[in-house]
């Protein structure tokens, strides 16, 4: 499961032009935040892991996972650019399965 989460992080980092370390860092840079939110939402969607396990894989505590997932889902409905990027990432994940 850890490798699957790592693969999602790699794809997200690649699409956003950052590193996996940037995703795991506590940076509030918008690109890092969007990549992190996307990765968290996709890990939540594609794995049976609970919030505690997902949070640990992103160097976070479980209480800090609800907001990013909600925001990513909100952006999917309201932001066309985010939606396009998310769709590309989703397609890459599904191709790599």
């Amino acid at each position: 499961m850890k490798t699957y989460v790592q693969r999602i992080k790699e794809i997200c980092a690649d699409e956003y032009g950052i590193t996996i370390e940037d995703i795991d860092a506590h940076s509030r840079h918008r690109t890092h935040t969007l990549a992190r939110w996307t990765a968290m939402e996709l890990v939540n969607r594609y794995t049976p892991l609970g919030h505690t396990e997902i949070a640990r894989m992103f160097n976070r505590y479980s209480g800090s996972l609800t907001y990013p997932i909600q925001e990513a889902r909100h952006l999917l409905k309201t932001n066309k650019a985010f939606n396009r990027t998310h769709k590309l990432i989703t397609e890459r994940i599904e191709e790599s399965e």
Side-chain angles (χ1 to χ4, degrees):
M1 192 59 58
K2 191 173 185 177
T3 354
Y4 195 69
V5 173
Q6 193 67 16
R7 183 69 185 132
I8 291 172
K9 285 182 179 183
E10 287 171 1
I11 293 170
C12 287
D14 183 55
E15 281 296 327
Y16 281 95
I18 62 173
T19 66
I20 292 174
E21 290 77 20
D22 293 332
I23 287 178
D24 290 337
H26 291 278
S27 167
R28 292 186 180 182
H29 188 280
R30 185 69 174 166
T31 305
H32 300 174
T33 302
L34 290 174
R36 185 180 313 116
W37 288 357
T38 303
M40 288 176 168
E41 194 276 328
L42 290 168
V43 169
N44 187 60
R45 179 186 305 182
Y46 282 104
T47 68
L49 299 173
H51 281 198
T52 303
E53 294 93 346
I54 296 170
R56 279 192 202 122
M57 294 183 172
F58 287 88
N59 297 323
R60 302 288 189 281
Y61 64 95
S62 61
S64 67
L65 200 63
T66 304
Y67 179 77
I69 291 172
Q70 287 175 344
E71 280 301 301
R73 290 180 180 162
H74 173 73
L75 287 172
L76 281 171
K77 295 175 186 173
T78 61
N79 186 308
K80 289 181 182 177
F82 182 82
N83 195 325
R84 275 192 305 272
T85 304
H86 191 280
K87 187 176 179 181
L88 288 170
I89 292 168
T90 302
E91 288 170 0
R92 286 182 62 186
I93 290 168
E94 290 173 358
E95 286 172 6
S96 70
E97 288 181 343

